[in-house]
Amino acid sequence: KDSAEHVWSVALGREAVREGRRMWELRVSGRTGRMSVGVGRNCDEVASPPNGWVADACEGKVWHYSSTGGLRCGAALINETGVRFSDGDSIIVGLDMDRGLLHFARSGASPLPVVEVPKGEELHIAVALFMQGGAVDLREVPLLSPAPLAQLVMTASVHALSSEHHMQPPSVPRLSLKSVGGLPEAAGGGAHLSSARR
């Protein structure tokens, strides 16, 4: 959808995750209405959704947490958590491809229900912005502990809250993203996404 105030912009991580465990911190800012974060396949339905990820064509292709509090697989509602996110919040996303599990936590909130994702698929960290003026800063968080991923996600969300809304310098390079639906490609290792008009 495109208008003076709204445009769907989608970005996927360059690197597909097929096995192992990964974790990211996303700091959202500005107008976050209908924003979603999660993981998805690199396909047209996810990359260029005319009506966003809440579409039947996206089912089984993108698993996401919406700013309205819903956990979804495409349009299918998995769980209405009641935990919304907005300007200044941090979202921790943990992906365990060996077990087929996706974890979310918002700073200052309890962990959200775990979402099942297909094992053996190639999935990318993904962000969908709708409102002009919304933005996301994203970094990969190194997993230095063999602790359960759910525990690591919760610990990271507590740390994000205590950082007083200032993104900590990453100990690994920021995740490089590619634009697939309205945003210019992120330069170098940058990972700031904005839905402002270019």
Side-chain angles (χ1 to χ4, degrees):
K1 181 177 179 178
D2 199 344
S3 71
E5 287 290 315
H6 309 101
V7 59
W8 280 110
S9 299
V10 173
L12 300 177
R14 290 181 191 271
E15 183 184 350
V17 181
R18 189 180 183 109
E19 60 186 10
R21 307 186 313 163
R22 302 286 282 277
M23 187 165 68
W24 301 269
E25 177 185 356
L26 299 91
R27 178 69 49 84
V28 301
S29 59
R31 298 175 69 192
T32 58
R34 297 178 68 186
M35 183 184 289
S36 285
V37 299
V39 297
R41 295 178 175 149
N42 187 1
C43 62
D44 288 342
E45 293 84 359
V46 173
S48 303
N51 298 306
W53 290 340
V54 184
D56 291 339
C58 289
E59 235 172 279
K61 296 173 183 163
V62 62
W63 296 262
H64 56 105
Y65 170 37
S66 168
S67 61
T68 60
L71 293 175
R72 297 181 175 271
C73 174
L77 182 65
I78 298 168
N79 191 298
E80 185 54 66
T81 69
V83 180
R84 297 170 178 255
F85 65 81
S86 61
D87 181 45
D89 283 329
S90 284
I91 312 302
I92 306 299
V93 179
L95 178 61
D96 185 341
M97 288 303 289
D98 297 335
R99 298 179 65 202
L101 299 175
L102 179 62
H103 302 264
F104 293 101
R106 190 204 77 199
S107 53
S110 298
L112 302 178
V114 177
V115 174
E116 291 186 12
V117 296
K119 297 178 190 176
E121 296 286 334
E122 289 193 346
L123 299 180
H124 301 254
I125 186 72
V127 177
L129 303 160
F130 181 63
M131 300 290 233
Q132 186 175 352
V136 176
D137 282 299
L138 181 147
R139 72 177 182 108
E140 185 166 0
V141 179
L143 293 174
L144 304 175
S145 167
L149 190 57
Q151 178 183 336
L152 297 174
V153 167
M154 189 60 211
T155 300
S157 72
V158 170
H159 172 73
L161 181 64
S162 68
S163 70
E164 298 182 29
H165 301 300
H166 296 289
M167 182 72 80
Q168 297 297 310
S171 54
V172 295
R174 287 181 179 235
L175 182 68
S176 184
L177 297 171
K178 65 179 179 180
S179 170
V180 287
L183 290 169
E185 187 165 314
H192 176 79
L193 310 176
S194 172
S195 59
R197 289 253 188 254
R198 308 279 181 212

